Amino acid sequence: MASWTTLAFAKEAKQFLGDDAVLTQTAELKTYETDALVMMKTPPDVVVLPKTTEQVQQVIRLCQKFDLPFIPRGSGTGLSGGTLPMRGGVMIGLSRMNRILKIDAQKRTAWVETGVINAWLNREAKPHGLFFAPDPSSQGACTIGGNIAENAGGIHCVKYGVTSNHVLALEVVTPEGDIVQLGQNSETVAGPDWVGLFIGSEGTFGIATKALLKLMPVAQKTLVFLASFSALTDATETVSAIIALGLQPSALEFMDALTVKLVNQAFHVGFPEEAAAVLLIELDGDPRQVAIHAQQLHRILKEHGVVQLREATDEGDRLALWKARKGTVAAYGRLYPSFYLHDCVIPRSRLTEVILAIEELAREYDLLIPSVFHAGDGNLHPHILMDPQDRAMVKRALAAGEAILDLCLSVGGVLSGEHGIGIEKSGFMTRLFTASELEVMRRLKHVFDPEDRANPEKIFPMRSRCGEAHTGLPLKILQASGVWI
Amino acid sequence: MDTSWRPADIEHEETPRGLCVYPSTEQELTRLLREAAASKTRLVVDLGQTVLPWRAVLVSYVEMKAIREHHVSDYLVSVQPGITVGDLQRELNQEQQGLGRIYSPHRELISILAEETVSPSFYLAGPLRYQVTGLRVITGDGALFHYGGEVVKNVAGYDMIRLFIGGQHQYGLLTEVTLKTKPLPEMSRPMMLYFSHFKDAWHFVQAARDVQFDTDILAMLKPHERQGWQVVFRILGPEALVEANLSWFGRYMNTHQPRAVILPLAPEGLLHWIEHTDWTDITESQKEGLVLRIILPELDLPLFLQAFETERYLKYADLNLCVGSGALTFRFHHRHSPSFKQALQLQERVRDMGGQLLCLVAPATLESEYFALNQPQQTVLQTWSARLKQQFDPHGILPNRIGGSR
């Protein structure tokens, strides 16, 4: 039930946003109770849908007045529960701030509102021979603002870098209700890199309402190879060999046997089903360079026992392969209704041993854990398939997930490469950072948000200040959303 | 400040410039910071010929130069930041790897990291902070912080690399960094062009950018004593690719026939050039005077030069542009430096053009005055800057490059 404070907030917000931009009804709020971490749900007290930066500013000032926290939200495709309103409060949806303001083909930049969908920008940039490099699998739905909040990556960031390498400037509404522009037209900075600090801060430093993005020229030549292997280790060692030769592919993706089978069933792309693993490798650039690198790639693949090699030469074939790759999550849905996904990053030289160990964990916990991941970055995405109604299975999935994280940390890995920490991995932060290190990070949060109003309870483990390290997923939320522990 | 304070059990010496401390381990540096904080002693990192400000202690990194680990197959290297670029490159070269950036070999990594020095390799490699995957740092109150490491992608927590790399020692002192390395190219061909006219040099640079010329270095330079402009580039890659790029270059020169002299450079020649054009090298520059940087949309460079061509003091400045960085760096020789008032006026006009003017190097006696140019214009950024100092250097013992209180 809405509190008096919430109702009073909503009443005032409607005065400058209009009735249709302030949602308070239970049914309306239900849409916003979760993001792509669907096993965790908790609704906000109120949702507002501003259309301008000034309206966002007014909302935040109103939050100050009523002492309410706020939670920014794009399309809700985040995988770490970053938009869950852990303390209730006001959810600020940016979906109506969705204009591409200017594409400057000469300077290779674009000013956009942050509610713009990633794929829309690419659609508009393409006629100029340009593209925005970060391309998460949710690119058709996720917003630029979400990409900024999570420092999103994607398939092509192995060559082109993550979101923070492609943002030049931001217009931000601070948690104290000010509008500020961070950065300018250049990647050169003197002193703190405010833009770089803001990106990946998961909405805890304020709300980016506009962004000046760097666009890249579309490569003159692109080749995509689908290489299949009869042994999983042949595939992972091929990855190491490609990295070691310094080939710098624009994509280097790994899919295991189960993923291949499910993707074939879902998309009929004709991936070789007898393969123990396949690699999708993309080379792009100057045609002469691509030709030279393709020769080198052929040699590496041969040396590492490639069984079958398919080259996608035309755009239609290439797009079909990438569509299948980006659709793996949907393909997994054919086996189980849900999954628990991890996003850890490990040193690339440790791929083989970690992948084998994850296979072992799948057997130990009696689960299916198919893997599709950004091999070129060492960014693993083990999907622990499960049925949320099967309590025993959920319990095993959570335990297996924890074991995978520990495994990755034990080889020098980190908790997340592109999905963020959010609420889902906040409990594990004490395994990566000491209490003192977390305190140093909290000091940074204090610089931007001294009242802890912006997206509270994210990134940092609950109660870690008191030394009571909380580990794992927040039990309260899991139980509230119907997941039995 | 307690002027009798001396760090216990850490190598130090009284020099003509004052007390100089030589920590050799992270533990020693941590203790040094804690003791300095307790006695409110200001610390300044020695970058070679750093002039010691009054009542401060010089911290030298010369004993912190170990290569912790070269993760050869991961293309990463972890080092203590006192190592020189030359020593690090030599070590990497043994495994057929390199930094993929060119800096003067005698510079210590610490100065490059702290200043986030813009290199002529910016064109291909981008800002230095993109190359750092991990760091260990001690904040102004002695808290040790470790972030990232042997992974090339990381969103676990705030990206503290963006605070400490380029942080100019204001928020903490680095004790270790992990950097990405690159395979050595099969072949490289450095070249220098002397163009008689700016427009020809600019046209060449834009053409190279448009065809995605395979060069890692692309820089423009105008020494004050010469009329023309230098352009330096280095084609690199497999032999066939280098040949193909040289063909493009030949065709360009034949088609456009600019008034230019082509000078192939030997690798030593390239290093010699970088040593004499790295104006952010404090060691050299402090003897010379003032170094200002103008950051602006790079394609507006011709407009900028046109707008300022009548400014007399700019005629006596050396100018360098590392293409892609949008950063024009001016070195003024002492006699011809703009006054602070002139610099302020220049800053106003640059802001009107959508750019930013900063002071990178100033003579020690004028630092606090000229560093005031670095004060952010927006009130919010001023507040955040002050809070950063308060949070990470609560005792005010580390440098303040924003101006005013040093």
Short mmCIF file of all heavy atoms in Angstrom, two decimals, chain A residues 106 164 176 180-181 184 186-188 190-193 204 243-244 288 348-349 377 379 416 418 437 443 446-447, chain B residues 74-75 129-130 141 145-146 152-153 155 158 162 166 171 209 244 295 297 299 325 356 358 378 380 384 387-388 391:
data_model
loop_
_atom_site.label_atom_id
_atom_site.label_comp_id
_atom_site.label_asym_id
_atom_site.label_seq_id
_atom_site.Cartn_x
_atom_site.Cartn_y
_atom_site.Cartn_z
N GLN A 106 31.02 13.73 -39.81
CA GLN A 106 32.40 14.18 -40.00
C GLN A 106 33.21 13.95 -38.72
O GLN A 106 34.33 13.45 -38.76
CB GLN A 106 32.38 15.68 -40.37
CG GLN A 106 33.72 16.28 -40.65
CD GLN A 106 34.37 15.72 -41.92
OE1 GLN A 106 33.71 15.11 -42.75
NE2 GLN A 106 35.68 15.89 -42.03
N SER A 164 32.61 2.46 -21.91
CA SER A 164 33.38 3.62 -21.43
C SER A 164 34.43 4.07 -22.45
O SER A 164 34.93 5.18 -22.35
CB SER A 164 34.03 3.34 -20.08
OG SER A 164 34.94 2.29 -20.19
N GLU A 176 21.97 15.46 -6.06
CA GLU A 176 21.61 16.68 -5.32
C GLU A 176 20.76 17.63 -6.17
O GLU A 176 20.53 18.77 -5.79
CB GLU A 176 22.88 17.35 -4.82
CG GLU A 176 23.55 16.48 -3.77
CD GLU A 176 24.96 16.94 -3.44
OE1 GLU A 176 25.86 16.74 -4.26
OE2 GLU A 176 25.14 17.49 -2.34
N VAL A 180 24.70 18.81 -14.80
CA VAL A 180 26.11 19.08 -15.08
C VAL A 180 26.52 18.33 -16.34
O VAL A 180 26.02 17.24 -16.61
CB VAL A 180 26.99 18.68 -13.86
CG1 VAL A 180 26.92 17.19 -13.57
CG2 VAL A 180 28.43 19.10 -14.04
N GLN A 181 27.41 18.95 -17.10
CA GLN A 181 27.98 18.20 -18.24
C GLN A 181 29.36 17.69 -17.87
O GLN A 181 30.23 18.46 -17.43
CB GLN A 181 28.07 19.07 -19.50
CG GLN A 181 28.60 18.22 -20.67
CD GLN A 181 28.69 18.96 -21.99
OE1 GLN A 181 27.80 19.72 -22.33
NE2 GLN A 181 29.77 18.72 -22.73
N GLN A 184 33.94 16.47 -22.64
CA GLN A 184 33.70 17.35 -23.79
C GLN A 184 33.80 16.53 -25.07
O GLN A 184 33.30 15.43 -25.12
CB GLN A 184 34.70 18.50 -23.78
CG GLN A 184 34.35 19.50 -22.67
CD GLN A 184 35.14 20.76 -22.78
OE1 GLN A 184 36.31 20.72 -23.08
NE2 GLN A 184 34.49 21.89 -22.52
N SER A 186 36.48 15.27 -26.42
CA SER A 186 37.75 14.59 -26.56
C SER A 186 37.90 13.53 -25.47
O SER A 186 37.31 13.65 -24.40
CB SER A 186 38.88 15.61 -26.42
OG SER A 186 40.10 14.96 -26.20
N GLU A 187 38.69 12.51 -25.76
CA GLU A 187 38.97 11.50 -24.74
C GLU A 187 40.10 11.93 -23.81
O GLU A 187 40.41 11.25 -22.85
CB GLU A 187 39.35 10.18 -25.42
CG GLU A 187 38.18 9.51 -26.08
CD GLU A 187 38.61 8.32 -26.89
OE1 GLU A 187 39.05 8.53 -28.03
OE2 GLU A 187 38.51 7.19 -26.40
N THR A 188 40.74 13.04 -24.15
CA THR A 188 41.83 13.51 -23.31
C THR A 188 41.26 14.22 -22.10
O THR A 188 40.38 15.07 -22.23
CB THR A 188 42.71 14.50 -24.10
OG1 THR A 188 43.20 13.81 -25.25
CG2 THR A 188 43.87 14.99 -23.27
N ALA A 190 42.25 15.87 -17.99
CA ALA A 190 43.30 16.24 -17.04
C ALA A 190 42.66 16.14 -15.68
O ALA A 190 41.63 16.74 -15.43
CB ALA A 190 43.78 17.65 -17.31
N GLY A 191 43.26 15.36 -14.80
CA GLY A 191 42.63 15.13 -13.51
C GLY A 191 41.66 13.98 -13.62
O GLY A 191 41.76 13.15 -14.52
N PRO A 192 40.69 13.89 -12.70
CA PRO A 192 39.80 12.73 -12.69
C PRO A 192 38.99 12.64 -13.98
O PRO A 192 38.56 13.66 -14.51
CB PRO A 192 38.87 13.00 -11.51
CG PRO A 192 39.34 14.22 -10.84
CD PRO A 192 40.36 14.88 -11.67
N ASP A 193 38.81 11.45 -14.45
CA ASP A 193 38.01 11.21 -15.65
C ASP A 193 36.56 11.06 -15.20
O ASP A 193 36.09 9.96 -14.93
CB ASP A 193 38.54 9.94 -16.34
CG ASP A 193 37.68 9.49 -17.49
OD1 ASP A 193 36.83 10.28 -17.93
OD2 ASP A 193 37.87 8.35 -17.95
N THR A 204 24.30 4.83 -9.36
CA THR A 204 24.52 5.24 -7.96
C THR A 204 25.16 6.62 -7.85
O THR A 204 25.35 7.12 -6.75
CB THR A 204 25.39 4.22 -7.20
OG1 THR A 204 26.68 4.20 -7.81
CG2 THR A 204 24.78 2.84 -7.22
N ILE A 243 44.96 -15.19 -29.38
CA ILE A 243 45.37 -14.04 -28.55
C ILE A 243 46.89 -13.90 -28.59
O ILE A 243 47.43 -12.81 -28.78
CB ILE A 243 44.92 -14.22 -27.07
CG1 ILE A 243 43.40 -14.37 -26.97
CG2 ILE A 243 45.43 -13.09 -26.19
CD1 ILE A 243 42.59 -13.18 -27.35
N ALA A 244 47.56 -15.05 -28.44
CA ALA A 244 49.03 -15.02 -28.36
C ALA A 244 49.65 -14.50 -29.65
O ALA A 244 50.69 -13.86 -29.63
CB ALA A 244 49.56 -16.41 -28.03
N ARG A 288 43.05 -5.80 -47.12
CA ARG A 288 44.37 -6.47 -47.20
C ARG A 288 44.75 -7.06 -45.85
O ARG A 288 45.25 -8.16 -45.75
CB ARG A 288 45.44 -5.45 -47.63
CG ARG A 288 45.20 -4.88 -49.01
CD ARG A 288 45.89 -3.56 -49.17
NE ARG A 288 45.45 -2.59 -48.18
CZ ARG A 288 45.71 -1.30 -48.23
NH1 ARG A 288 46.40 -0.81 -49.22
NH2 ARG A 288 45.28 -0.48 -47.30
N ARG A 348 42.82 -14.89 -19.66
CA ARG A 348 42.50 -15.70 -20.84
C ARG A 348 43.30 -16.98 -20.92
O ARG A 348 42.88 -17.95 -21.52
CB ARG A 348 42.70 -14.85 -22.10
CG ARG A 348 41.70 -13.72 -22.17
CD ARG A 348 41.98 -12.79 -23.30
NE ARG A 348 43.22 -12.03 -23.12
CZ ARG A 348 43.56 -10.98 -23.85
NH1 ARG A 348 42.76 -10.56 -24.82
NH2 ARG A 348 44.68 -10.33 -23.63
N SER A 349 44.46 -16.97 -20.29
CA SER A 349 45.31 -18.18 -20.33
C SER A 349 44.73 -19.30 -19.45
O SER A 349 45.22 -20.42 -19.49
CB SER A 349 46.72 -17.83 -19.86
OG SER A 349 46.67 -17.25 -18.58
N ASP A 377 37.82 -12.12 -24.48
CA ASP A 377 37.98 -11.29 -23.27
C ASP A 377 38.15 -12.13 -22.01
O ASP A 377 38.34 -11.57 -20.94
CB ASP A 377 36.72 -10.45 -23.01
CG ASP A 377 36.41 -9.50 -24.11
OD1 ASP A 377 37.35 -8.97 -24.68
OD2 ASP A 377 35.22 -9.30 -24.39
N ASN A 379 35.66 -13.51 -20.75
CA ASN A 379 34.42 -13.16 -20.04
C ASN A 379 33.42 -14.32 -20.17
O ASN A 379 32.79 -14.51 -21.21
CB ASN A 379 33.84 -11.88 -20.65
CG ASN A 379 32.65 -11.30 -19.91
OD1 ASN A 379 32.07 -10.33 -20.36
ND2 ASN A 379 32.28 -11.87 -18.78
N SER A 416 32.44 -9.63 -12.45
CA SER A 416 31.60 -9.26 -13.59
C SER A 416 32.39 -8.52 -14.65
O SER A 416 33.27 -7.70 -14.32
CB SER A 416 30.44 -8.38 -13.10
OG SER A 416 29.65 -7.97 -14.20
N GLU A 418 30.56 -7.31 -17.61
CA GLU A 418 29.71 -6.38 -18.36
C GLU A 418 28.28 -6.30 -17.82
O GLU A 418 27.53 -5.44 -18.26
CB GLU A 418 29.67 -6.77 -19.84
CG GLU A 418 29.23 -8.21 -20.10
CD GLU A 418 29.36 -8.64 -21.57
OE1 GLU A 418 30.02 -7.93 -22.34
OE2 GLU A 418 28.79 -9.68 -21.91
N GLU A 437 38.95 -1.89 1.32
CA GLU A 437 38.84 -1.51 -0.09
C GLU A 437 37.41 -1.07 -0.44
O GLU A 437 37.19 -0.12 -1.18
CB GLU A 437 39.28 -2.67 -0.99
CG GLU A 437 40.79 -2.86 -0.98
CD GLU A 437 41.25 -4.13 -1.66
OE1 GLU A 437 40.46 -5.09 -1.76
OE2 GLU A 437 42.42 -4.17 -2.08
N ARG A 443 33.76 5.85 -0.35
CA ARG A 443 34.13 7.27 -0.31
C ARG A 443 33.84 7.92 -1.66
O ARG A 443 33.44 9.08 -1.72
CB ARG A 443 35.63 7.41 -0.02
CG ARG A 443 36.05 6.93 1.34
CD ARG A 443 37.51 7.34 1.51
NE ARG A 443 38.20 6.47 2.44
CZ ARG A 443 39.50 6.54 2.65
NH1 ARG A 443 40.24 7.39 1.98
NH2 ARG A 443 40.07 5.74 3.51
N HIS A 446 30.28 8.67 -1.93
CA HIS A 446 29.95 9.84 -1.10
C HIS A 446 30.24 11.15 -1.84
O HIS A 446 29.54 12.15 -1.65
CB HIS A 446 30.74 9.78 0.21
CG HIS A 446 30.35 10.84 1.18
ND1 HIS A 446 29.27 10.72 2.01
CD2 HIS A 446 30.88 12.07 1.41
CE1 HIS A 446 29.16 11.82 2.74
NE2 HIS A 446 30.12 12.66 2.38
N VAL A 447 31.27 11.13 -2.70
CA VAL A 447 31.60 12.33 -3.46
C VAL A 447 30.41 12.75 -4.33
O VAL A 447 30.05 13.91 -4.40
CB VAL A 447 32.85 12.08 -4.35
CG1 VAL A 447 33.05 13.19 -5.38
CG2 VAL A 447 34.09 11.93 -3.47
N ASP B 74 48.87 -13.85 -21.69
CA ASP B 74 47.69 -12.99 -21.52
C ASP B 74 47.94 -11.58 -22.04
O ASP B 74 47.05 -10.73 -21.99
CB ASP B 74 47.31 -12.89 -20.03
CG ASP B 74 46.56 -14.13 -19.57
OD1 ASP B 74 45.68 -14.58 -20.31
OD2 ASP B 74 46.88 -14.65 -18.49
N TYR B 75 49.16 -11.32 -22.49
CA TYR B 75 49.51 -9.98 -22.97
C TYR B 75 49.29 -8.92 -21.89
O TYR B 75 48.64 -7.90 -22.12
CB TYR B 75 48.77 -9.63 -24.26
CG TYR B 75 49.45 -10.23 -25.47
CD1 TYR B 75 49.23 -11.54 -25.82
CD2 TYR B 75 50.38 -9.49 -26.21
CE1 TYR B 75 49.89 -12.12 -26.89
CE2 TYR B 75 51.04 -10.05 -27.28
CZ TYR B 75 50.79 -11.37 -27.61
OH TYR B 75 51.46 -11.93 -28.66
N ARG B 129 44.68 5.29 -20.06
CA ARG B 129 43.87 4.61 -19.05
C ARG B 129 43.18 3.37 -19.63
O ARG B 129 42.85 2.45 -18.90
CB ARG B 129 42.84 5.57 -18.44
CG ARG B 129 41.89 6.19 -19.43
CD ARG B 129 41.01 7.25 -18.76
NE ARG B 129 40.05 7.84 -19.67
CZ ARG B 129 40.31 8.86 -20.49
NH1 ARG B 129 41.52 9.38 -20.51
NH2 ARG B 129 39.38 9.33 -21.29
N TYR B 130 42.98 3.34 -20.96
CA TYR B 130 42.37 2.15 -21.57
C TYR B 130 43.30 0.94 -21.50
O TYR B 130 42.87 -0.18 -21.67
CB TYR B 130 42.04 2.41 -23.05
CG TYR B 130 40.96 3.42 -23.32
CD1 TYR B 130 40.64 3.77 -24.63
CD2 TYR B 130 40.25 4.03 -22.29
CE1 TYR B 130 39.65 4.71 -24.90
CE2 TYR B 130 39.27 4.97 -22.56
CZ TYR B 130 38.97 5.31 -23.86
OH TYR B 130 38.00 6.24 -24.13
N ASP B 141 45.37 8.85 3.14
CA ASP B 141 45.36 8.51 4.56
C ASP B 141 45.90 7.10 4.80
O ASP B 141 45.68 6.51 5.87
CB ASP B 141 43.95 8.67 5.16
CG ASP B 141 42.93 7.85 4.42
OD1 ASP B 141 43.26 7.30 3.34
OD2 ASP B 141 41.78 7.74 4.90
N PHE B 145 44.52 0.11 -1.62
CA PHE B 145 43.40 -0.26 -2.47
C PHE B 145 43.92 -1.04 -3.68
O PHE B 145 44.89 -0.64 -4.32
CB PHE B 145 42.65 0.99 -2.95
CG PHE B 145 41.43 0.67 -3.75
CD1 PHE B 145 40.25 0.31 -3.12
CD2 PHE B 145 41.47 0.70 -5.13
CE1 PHE B 145 39.13 -0.01 -3.86
CE2 PHE B 145 40.35 0.38 -5.88
CZ PHE B 145 39.18 0.03 -5.24
N HIS B 146 43.26 -2.14 -3.98
CA HIS B 146 43.66 -2.98 -5.10
C HIS B 146 42.46 -3.13 -6.01
O HIS B 146 41.35 -3.42 -5.56
CB HIS B 146 44.10 -4.35 -4.54
CG HIS B 146 44.26 -5.39 -5.60
ND1 HIS B 146 43.78 -6.65 -5.46
CD2 HIS B 146 44.86 -5.33 -6.81
CE1 HIS B 146 44.06 -7.35 -6.56
NE2 HIS B 146 44.72 -6.57 -7.38
N VAL B 152 41.01 -8.48 -18.66
CA VAL B 152 40.97 -7.37 -19.61
C VAL B 152 39.61 -6.67 -19.62
O VAL B 152 39.40 -5.75 -20.40
CB VAL B 152 41.36 -7.83 -21.03
CG1 VAL B 152 42.79 -8.29 -21.07
CG2 VAL B 152 40.42 -8.92 -21.54
N LYS B 153 38.72 -7.09 -18.78
CA LYS B 153 37.37 -6.52 -18.74
C LYS B 153 36.91 -6.63 -17.30
O LYS B 153 37.10 -7.67 -16.68
CB LYS B 153 36.50 -7.40 -19.63
CG LYS B 153 35.27 -6.80 -20.22
CD LYS B 153 34.71 -7.81 -21.20
CE LYS B 153 33.37 -7.46 -21.71
NZ LYS B 153 32.78 -8.56 -22.49
N VAL B 155 33.82 -4.94 -14.49
CA VAL B 155 32.87 -3.93 -13.99
C VAL B 155 32.48 -4.22 -12.54
O VAL B 155 31.41 -3.84 -12.09
CB VAL B 155 31.60 -3.83 -14.88
CG1 VAL B 155 31.94 -3.34 -16.26
CG2 VAL B 155 30.83 -5.14 -14.93
N TYR B 158 33.30 0.30 -8.73
CA TYR B 158 33.59 1.51 -9.50
C TYR B 158 34.94 1.38 -10.19
O TYR B 158 35.86 0.75 -9.67
CB TYR B 158 33.58 2.73 -8.57
CG TYR B 158 32.27 2.95 -7.87
CD1 TYR B 158 32.22 3.22 -6.50
CD2 TYR B 158 31.07 2.88 -8.57
CE1 TYR B 158 31.01 3.42 -5.85
CE2 TYR B 158 29.85 3.08 -7.93
CZ TYR B 158 29.83 3.34 -6.57
OH TYR B 158 28.64 3.53 -5.93
N ARG B 162 39.94 5.11 -13.41
CA ARG B 162 39.62 6.44 -13.94
C ARG B 162 39.90 7.55 -12.93
O ARG B 162 39.88 8.72 -13.28
CB ARG B 162 38.15 6.49 -14.36
CG ARG B 162 37.74 5.41 -15.33
CD ARG B 162 38.62 5.41 -16.56
NE ARG B 162 38.30 4.35 -17.47
CZ ARG B 162 37.77 4.55 -18.68
NH1 ARG B 162 37.55 5.76 -19.11
NH2 ARG B 162 37.50 3.53 -19.45
N GLY B 166 45.99 9.36 -14.26
CA GLY B 166 45.69 10.75 -14.62
C GLY B 166 45.32 11.57 -13.40
O GLY B 166 44.98 12.74 -13.52
N TYR B 171 45.17 11.95 -5.21
CA TYR B 171 44.27 11.14 -4.39
C TYR B 171 44.94 9.91 -3.80
O TYR B 171 44.37 9.24 -2.95
CB TYR B 171 43.05 10.72 -5.22
CG TYR B 171 42.49 11.86 -6.02
CD1 TYR B 171 42.64 11.92 -7.40
CD2 TYR B 171 41.88 12.93 -5.37
CE1 TYR B 171 42.17 13.00 -8.12
CE2 TYR B 171 41.41 14.02 -6.09
CZ TYR B 171 41.55 14.05 -7.47
OH TYR B 171 41.10 15.13 -8.17
N ARG B 209 43.42 9.64 -41.86
CA ARG B 209 42.34 9.24 -40.94
C ARG B 209 41.18 8.62 -41.73
O ARG B 209 40.62 7.61 -41.34
CB ARG B 209 41.89 10.49 -40.18
CG ARG B 209 40.67 10.35 -39.29
CD ARG B 209 40.33 11.72 -38.70
NE ARG B 209 39.12 11.71 -37.90
CZ ARG B 209 37.91 12.02 -38.38
NH1 ARG B 209 37.74 12.31 -39.65
NH2 ARG B 209 36.87 12.00 -37.57
N ALA B 244 51.52 -2.14 -48.79
CA ALA B 244 50.26 -1.59 -49.32
C ALA B 244 50.04 -0.16 -48.82
O ALA B 244 49.61 0.72 -49.57
CB ALA B 244 49.09 -2.48 -48.91
N ILE B 295 42.18 21.57 -25.16
CA ILE B 295 41.43 20.39 -25.62
C ILE B 295 40.23 20.90 -26.39
O ILE B 295 39.44 21.69 -25.86
CB ILE B 295 40.98 19.52 -24.42
CG1 ILE B 295 42.21 19.07 -23.62
CG2 ILE B 295 40.19 18.32 -24.89
CD1 ILE B 295 41.88 18.39 -22.30
N PRO B 297 37.44 20.08 -30.06
CA PRO B 297 37.10 19.15 -31.13
C PRO B 297 38.18 19.24 -32.20
O PRO B 297 38.44 20.32 -32.73
CB PRO B 297 35.76 19.66 -31.64
CG PRO B 297 35.21 20.49 -30.54
CD PRO B 297 36.38 21.07 -29.83
N LEU B 299 38.64 18.53 -35.25
CA LEU B 299 38.41 19.05 -36.60
C LEU B 299 38.32 20.57 -36.62
O LEU B 299 38.33 21.19 -37.67
CB LEU B 299 37.15 18.42 -37.20
CG LEU B 299 37.26 16.92 -37.48
CD1 LEU B 299 35.98 16.40 -38.09
CD2 LEU B 299 38.43 16.62 -38.40
N SER B 325 43.69 12.78 -30.23
CA SER B 325 43.53 13.12 -28.81
C SER B 325 42.75 14.41 -28.61
O SER B 325 42.23 14.66 -27.53
CB SER B 325 44.90 13.27 -28.15
OG SER B 325 45.55 14.42 -28.65
N GLN B 356 38.67 23.67 -23.94
CA GLN B 356 39.09 23.74 -22.54
C GLN B 356 40.58 24.05 -22.52
O GLN B 356 41.33 23.49 -23.35
CB GLN B 356 38.83 22.36 -21.94
CG GLN B 356 38.87 22.27 -20.46
CD GLN B 356 38.66 20.81 -20.00
OE1 GLN B 356 38.48 19.90 -20.81
NE2 GLN B 356 38.73 20.58 -18.72
N LEU B 358 44.05 24.09 -20.09
CA LEU B 358 44.60 23.63 -18.82
C LEU B 358 46.08 23.95 -18.75
O LEU B 358 46.74 24.07 -19.79
CB LEU B 358 44.45 22.11 -18.71
CG LEU B 358 43.04 21.56 -18.81
CD1 LEU B 358 43.07 20.10 -19.19
CD2 LEU B 358 42.31 21.76 -17.50
N GLN B 378 32.34 24.47 -13.90
CA GLN B 378 31.01 24.21 -13.33
C GLN B 378 31.09 24.03 -11.82
O GLN B 378 31.96 23.32 -11.31
CB GLN B 378 30.41 22.96 -13.98
CG GLN B 378 30.31 23.08 -15.49
CD GLN B 378 29.76 21.81 -16.12
OE1 GLN B 378 28.57 21.62 -16.21
NE2 GLN B 378 30.63 20.93 -16.56
N VAL B 380 29.31 22.33 -9.82
CA VAL B 380 29.18 20.94 -9.36
C VAL B 380 30.55 20.25 -9.40
O VAL B 380 30.93 19.54 -8.46
CB VAL B 380 28.18 20.17 -10.26
CG1 VAL B 380 28.19 18.69 -9.93
CG2 VAL B 380 26.78 20.73 -10.10
N TRP B 384 32.60 18.51 -6.42
CA TRP B 384 33.07 17.12 -6.47
C TRP B 384 34.59 17.05 -6.31
O TRP B 384 35.10 16.16 -5.64
CB TRP B 384 32.65 16.47 -7.79
CG TRP B 384 31.19 16.13 -7.88
CD1 TRP B 384 30.25 16.25 -6.90
CD2 TRP B 384 30.51 15.63 -9.04
NE1 TRP B 384 29.01 15.85 -7.38
CE2 TRP B 384 29.13 15.47 -8.68
CE3 TRP B 384 30.89 15.30 -10.33
CZ2 TRP B 384 28.18 14.99 -9.58
CZ3 TRP B 384 29.94 14.83 -11.23
CH2 TRP B 384 28.60 14.67 -10.86
N ARG B 387 35.42 17.48 -2.75
CA ARG B 387 35.06 16.29 -1.97
C ARG B 387 36.04 15.15 -2.23
O ARG B 387 36.37 14.38 -1.31
CB ARG B 387 33.64 15.83 -2.34
CG ARG B 387 32.55 16.65 -1.70
CD ARG B 387 31.21 16.03 -2.05
NE ARG B 387 30.10 16.92 -1.75
CZ ARG B 387 28.93 16.89 -2.38
NH1 ARG B 387 28.71 16.01 -3.35
NH2 ARG B 387 27.96 17.71 -2.06
N LEU B 388 36.48 15.02 -3.49
CA LEU B 388 37.46 13.97 -3.79
C LEU B 388 38.70 14.14 -2.93
O LEU B 388 39.23 13.18 -2.36
CB LEU B 388 37.87 14.01 -5.27
CG LEU B 388 37.08 13.21 -6.29
CD1 LEU B 388 37.67 13.40 -7.67
CD2 LEU B 388 37.04 11.72 -5.95
N GLN B 391 37.92 13.21 0.63
CA GLN B 391 37.73 11.78 0.86
C GLN B 391 39.02 10.98 0.73
O GLN B 391 39.23 10.02 1.46
CB GLN B 391 36.69 11.22 -0.14
CG GLN B 391 35.28 11.70 0.10
CD GLN B 391 34.69 11.15 1.40
OE1 GLN B 391 34.99 10.04 1.83
NE2 GLN B 391 33.85 11.95 2.05
#
